[in-house]
Amino acid sequence: MTMEALEATSNGTKTGSKTDDKPKKDKQKRHLPSLPSAASAADMNPVTFSGLSDKTAVEWSSLKNYEMFSLSPDGSFPMMKVSRSKAVRLADRQVMMVGSGRCYRVSLSNH
């Protein structure tokens, strides 16, 4: 009896050695412009936004990401849904964890 040497194969082809001498290509970084900033509050203009708040509360899960909402029917203290489980208070940019609940959609459109 003679035993034949077995070669490592993968899907009918020979597998290559794990020590490739090819240098890995680094991904080029995208050069994106930065946001312009105001030097001080004196360089900024006062702004007033008007909008509409739904009269009927909706389920948290029905809101889309980046949609504004309020916990109050009058639309006070607006927030924004940023993921399935997080919201941001627009007044102080604090992130809140959210599991479920009801809220009122807020739209900055005034039609």
Side-chain angles (χ1 to χ4, degrees), residues 6-78:
L6 296 175
E7 292 181 5
T9 60
S10 174
N11 207 14
T13 60
K14 292 183 181 179
T15 58
S17 66
K18 292 186 179 184
T19 56
D20 290 333
D21 293 333
K22 296 178 187 176
K24 292 183 179 180
K25 292 183 181 178
D26 291 331
K27 288 185 178 181
Q28 285 185 335
K29 292 183 180 180
R30 292 190 292 172
H31 297 286
L32 300 174
S34 62
L35 290 171
S37 62
S40 69
D43 295 338
M44 300 174 88
N45 296 319
V47 178
T48 303
F49 290 102
S50 62
L52 302 171
S53 177
D54 278 357
K55 293 180 181 179
T56 307
V58 296
E59 288 294 325
W60 165 257
S61 58
S62 69
L63 291 177
K64 295 180 181 177
N65 285 352
Y66 307 107
E67 193 167 0
M68 289 179 53
F69 69 95
S70 174
L71 299 177
S72 174
D74 67 1
S76 58
F77 303 104

Side-chain angles (χ1 to χ4, degrees), residues 94-106:
Q94 292 296 312
V95 175
M96 299 173 52
M97 299 301 292
V98 180
S100 64
R102 296 181 66 77
C103 57
Y104 299 88
R105 278 192 173 96
V106 173

